[in-house]
């Protein structure tokens, strides 16, 4: 009786029933959102640090919610991750991004070398159908595998290093490129960097914020870029907002940059405009 009482209490605790209800509500909302095409993808330029040419874009999802307006990923990715809907949502983003790259490539020769980056969530990375999904997305869109970069985070890799290496290897066998996102914010993966079949390191914004004023951050980023060069990994600095940050990171030798200084996430048409405006390589 006592046990039943405790269970009953747990089930009917007001705070708990509310959060369970909220979660169930957002699940229904997300499912409807997927069915009704309420999600949109914005694209943020990734530029060459020296020439400032846009070499690629990162796909960033938004939810055009019928009641709450345009929602950023922090408002729904965690819930989608928890209830598993991130798998179909992530698949949709991946397919939409590849299809959009194909549209840019058809629209202008300036898009010929353009790369597209797509974020993967932990659940997606563990999903057994991931490699087939990725193969289908590039195949159906008709874009070169090498034009797609998948971004994963350190923590996703560290949970099960052997399993991660296997998945990364299978993805790489398709010809897609792999990037470690938010580098430096997760578990230290320095020991694994050599083993992991990745191509690109994205240096997190937290190291970029004070890189023009803080000697310690300069030393850190300089060390990461040096290490990447030794391991033949490309570097991308994230969240560049000022000329000072750009100049310092360029001097350090970072290959690519991303941030509001070069361009905010925008719709597909804004990328077409940028492509049409930029000089020939
Ligand atoms: P992220 O992958 O690190 O993406 C970069 C985030 O930084 C984006 O926020 C971008 O708008 C923002 N950002 C870029 N440059 C600057 C800058 O100069 N200053 C500042 N303050 N912010 C900048 P966003 O679009 O809100 O996305 C947040 C996070 O949500 C992403 O971080 C990523 O982890 C996740 N996310 C976005 N789209 C997807 C998706 O399709 N699938 C998954 N699994 N996660 C996604
Ligand atoms: Ca990212
Ligand atoms: Ca990032
Ligand atoms: Ca981030």
């Amino acid at each position: 009786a006592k046990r039943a009482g405790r269970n009953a209490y747990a089930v009917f605790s007001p705070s708990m029933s509310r959060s369970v209800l909220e979660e169930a509500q957002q699940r229904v909302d997300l499912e409807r959102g997927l069915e009704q095409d309420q999600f949109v993808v914005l694209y943020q330029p990734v530029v060459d640090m020296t020439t400032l040419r846009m070499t690629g874009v990162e796909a960033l999802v938004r939810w055009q919610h019928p009641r709450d307006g345009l929602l950023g990923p922090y408002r729904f990715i965690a819930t989608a991750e928890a209830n598993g809907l991130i798998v179909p949502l992530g698949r949709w983003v991946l397919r939409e991004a590849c299809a959009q790259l194909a549209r840019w490539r058809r629209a202008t020769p300036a898009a010929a070398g353009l790369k597209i980056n797509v974020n993967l969530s932990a659940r997606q990375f563990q999903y057994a159908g991931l490699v087939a999904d990725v193969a289908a997305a590039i195949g159906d869109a008709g874009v070169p595998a090498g034009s797609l970069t998948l971004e994963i985070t350190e923590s996703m890799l560290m949970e099960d290093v052997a399993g991660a290496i296997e998945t990364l290897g299978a993805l790489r066998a398709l010809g897609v490129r792999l990037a470690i996102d938010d580098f430096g914010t997760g578990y230290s993966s320095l020991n694994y960097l050599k083993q992991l079949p990745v191509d690109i390191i994205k240096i997190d914004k937290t190291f970029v914020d004070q890189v023009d004023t803080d000697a310690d951050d300069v030393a850190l980023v300089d060390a990461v870029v040096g290490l990447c060069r030794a391991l033949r990994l490309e570097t991308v600095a994230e969240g560049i907002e000022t000329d000072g940050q750009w100049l310092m990171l360029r001097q350090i030798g970072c290959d690519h940059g991303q941030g509001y200084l070069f361009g905010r996430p925008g719709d597909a048409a804004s990328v077409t405009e940028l492509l049409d405006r930029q000089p020939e390589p």
Side-chain angles (χ1 to χ4, degrees):
K2 217 174 175 189
R3 269 184 70 157
R6 232 190 346 246
N7 284 342
Y9 173 78
V11 169
F12 294 111
S13 128
S15 67
M16 190 181 216
S17 65
R18 191 174 45 137
S19 90
V20 167
L21 185 66
E22 273 172 4
E23 263 180 49
Q25 186 56 54
Q26 215 190 8
R27 189 196 166 97
V28 173
D29 250 29
L30 275 163
E31 273 170 342
R32 187 184 307 130
L34 272 168
E35 270 165 31
Q36 300 184 353
D37 254 343
Q38 292 169 3
F39 293 91
V40 289
V41 182
L42 297 185
Y43 302 90
Q44 184 180 33
V46 177
V47 306
D48 180 299
M49 286 292 261
T50 317
T51 65
L52 295 181
R53 276 181 63 83
M54 175 173 59
T55 54
V57 291
E58 178 173 1
L60 296 160
V61 72
R62 301 288 182 269
W63 184 1
Q64 187 63 65
H65 195 282
R67 185 189 60 233
D68 301 338
L70 194 66
L71 304 181
Y74 295 114
R75 299 280 300 274
F76 57 91
I77 291 282
T79 317
E81 179 82 34
N83 64 29
L85 285 173
I86 191 71
V87 172
L89 175 59
R91 184 190 295 123
W92 179 82
V93 172
L94 175 69
R95 295 186 63 84
E96 178 59 28
C98 290
Q100 183 54 57
L101 179 63
R103 290 193 281 271
W104 284 319
R105 289 168 62 91
R106 280 194 299 269
T108 166
L114 193 74
K115 307 275 200 290
I116 194 149
N117 287 33
V118 175
N119 292 285
L120 292 186
S121 77
R123 274 286 262 272
Q124 254 183 306
F125 190 64
Q126 286 155 8
Y127 168 63
L130 173 68
V131 179
D133 278 357
V134 172
I138 51 185
D140 292 348
V143 295
S147 62
L148 174 66
T149 299
L150 299 173
E151 300 192 359
I152 62 247
T153 61
E154 289 167 88
S155 51
M156 285 158 58
L157 301 173
M158 293 309 118
E159 266 165 38
D160 166 19
V161 176
I165 290 177
E166 203 182 306
T167 305
L168 295 175
L171 290 169
R172 232 193 185 182
L174 296 176
V176 306
R177 306 203 313 155
L178 303 165
I180 300 186
D181 203 358
D182 305 339
F183 186 77
T185 62
Y187 305 88
S188 172
S189 56
L190 284 188
N191 291 333
Y192 297 108
L193 212 47
K194 199 180 67 169
Q195 274 173 267
L196 293 169
V198 297
D199 308 280
I200 299 159
I201 296 295
K202 297 190 78 173
I203 301 168
D204 193 70
K205 183 179 187 308
T206 50
F207 302 99
V208 167
D209 283 339
Q210 271 111 46
V211 79
D212 52 339
T213 52
D214 186 330
D216 290 345
D217 284 335
V218 174
L220 263 170
V221 174
D222 193 52
V224 170
V225 169
L227 182 73
C228 288
R229 195 173 294 135
L231 297 173
R232 288 175 305 281
L233 295 167
E234 250 177 57
T235 48
V236 183
E238 295 193 279
I240 302 174
E241 295 179 347
T242 70
D243 284 336
Q245 292 164 348
W246 165 51
L247 292 170
M248 179 55 76
L249 290 160
R250 187 183 67 174
Q251 189 183 323
I252 288 170
C254 225
D255 302 308
H256 295 96
Q258 193 178 341
Y260 294 169
L261 180 67
F262 311 118
R264 289 181 179 253
D267 61 15
S270 72
V271 174
T272 310
E273 263 170 52
L274 280 175
L275 284 169
D276 288 338
R277 273 212 314 266
Q278 70 180 357
E280 295 295 311

